[in-house]
Amino acid sequence: MQFSDEGYIINMRRHGENSLILTVLTRNNGKITGYVKNALTKKNLGVYQLGNSIHLNAYARLEENLCTFHTELAVLEAVNFMNAPDKLAALSALCELCNVCLPEKDNIEVFFNKIDNFFKHINECNWITYYSYFEFYLLEYLGIGLDLSECAATGSRENLKYISPKTGRAVCAAAGEAYKDRLYAYPQYIVDKNYSPSLSEVSDLLKMTEFFLNKNFFQTHGLKFPENRANLRNRLNI
C-alpha cells in the first residue's frame, strides 16, 4: 500500500529515542496512523505539533501493517494556537474527539470539510462557531445525528424550539413548554447555516453535543468522555 495525501496532525506518541507514532486526519484517506523515523530533531521541532497541516507519503508492505510516513510541513497551523488558550483548548478537544471517535482509514471527505473550516477560520472573531459545526456534524458522521426536521410530538415544522434528550428529535414551542427545563435548545443557526450566532446559542449547542456524544458514543463503547472536551465550555466562559 502506498499513497500521498495531506492533513492535520491530531495525535503524537514518542517511539524510541527520537521517532514518533503520528496520527493524521487526511482528506482522502481518513484517519491514518504511521511511524516517522528520526522525527524529533531540532530542525523538526516546529513541524510535529498538534494541528499542523502536513504533506505525507505513506507506505506499508501489507494493508494491515503500520504505515511508514515521510512528511513535509504544509501549513504551520500551530502558531495560531500557541498564545491563545481558548483556541488551544478547542484544538485539543477537536484532536481528541477525532482520534477517539473516527476509525482508521474510513472515508471522511465530507466531514473533513467541517474540520478544515475550523482551521481556515481560526483567526476570525467567530472561530468558535466553526468548532461548534464540527461537533454537530461529528454526531451526524457517527450515525447519531439529530432530527431537526419536525416536532416529534405534533409533526409540525413550525416554531421548533427544543431538542429532546431522549430521542434527539425536535420539539415545537407549544409541545415542549411544560418540559423546557429538561430539553435542549433547538440549534436554529445550524439549520439556517448562519455563522454569526450569539455565544449563548453556541454554548447551548455545545452543551447538547456533549450530552449526545457522551450518551450515544462514549458510554456505548465503555469509554470515558475526554476531560479536555468536558471542560471546554468552562474554559471558554460561554
Side-chain angles (χ1 to χ4, degrees), residues 114-128:
K114 307 302 178 185
I115 299 163
D116 203 29
N117 279 339
F118 168 73
F119 286 99
K120 285 187 176 352
H121 295 88
I122 195 61
N123 290 316
E124 304 292 331
C125 61
N126 63 337
W127 64 270
I128 189 58

Side-chain angles (χ1 to χ4, degrees), residues 44-182:
N44 291 331
L45 281 179
V47 174
Y48 298 107
Q49 302 287 337
L50 285 183
N52 272 350
S53 175
I54 62 171
H55 297 292
L56 64 85
N57 293 311
Y59 170 78
R61 179 175 291 180
L62 299 174
E63 184 78 22
E64 60 270 22
N65 290 163
L66 182 69
C67 290
T68 296
F69 287 165
H70 295 283
T71 67
E72 180 182 336
L73 181 67
V75 182
L76 190 63
E77 298 283 2
V79 71
N80 296 316
F81 300 91
M82 287 179 179
N83 296 312
D86 287 354
K87 294 178 182 180
L88 186 60
L91 172 67
S92 178
L94 181 146
C95 290
E96 183 70 7
L97 287 173
C98 286
N99 192 45
V100 176
C101 295
L102 303 185
E104 290 272 332
K105 303 174 185 176
D106 201 23
N107 183 351
I108 62 165
E109 188 171 357
V110 175
F111 177 53
F112 183 89
N113 290 331
K114 307 302 178 185
I115 299 163
D116 203 29
N117 279 339
F118 168 73
F119 286 99
K120 285 187 176 352
H121 295 88
I122 195 61
N123 290 316
E124 304 292 331
C125 61
N126 63 337
W127 64 270
I128 189 58
T129 301
Y130 289 90
Y131 177 85
S132 72
Y133 271 83
F134 151 73
E135 285 204 3
F136 179 84
Y137 283 100
L138 177 60
L139 286 175
E140 183 177 276
Y141 170 82
L142 293 173
I144 51 178
L146 309 178
D147 183 353
L148 308 180
S149 61
E150 63 181 28
C151 176
T154 67
S156 173
R157 294 177 178 267
E158 304 295 326
N159 299 316
L160 300 177
K161 191 172 182 180
Y162 306 107
I163 297 291
S164 167
K166 290 185 179 179
T167 65
R169 296 184 64 190
V171 180
C172 67
E177 182 63 25
Y179 313 99
K180 62 182 181 181
D181 291 341
R182 286 175 274 171

Side-chain angles (χ1 to χ4, degrees), residues 14 27 34 40-41 103 106 109 131 139 147 153 167-168 172-173 178 184 209 217 219-220 229:
R14 194 174 190 129
R27 182 180 298 277
L40 300 177
T41 64
D106 201 23
E109 188 171 357
Y131 177 85
L139 286 175
D147 183 353
T167 65
C172 67
Y184 290 106
T209 53
F217 182 84
Q219 290 182 11
T220 299
R229 171 56 186 89

Side-chain angles (χ1 to χ4, degrees), residues 216-229:
N216 294 335
F217 182 84
F218 284 89
Q219 290 182 11
T220 299
H221 290 85
L223 300 172
K224 183 179 178 182
F225 193 70
E227 187 175 344
N228 54 7
R229 171 56 186 89

Side-chain angles (χ1 to χ4, degrees), residues 17 21 32 80 86 135 152 191 199 215:
E17 189 173 333
I21 302 297
I32 298 292
N80 296 316
D86 287 354
E135 285 204 3
V191 175
L199 281 179
K215 173 190 171 186

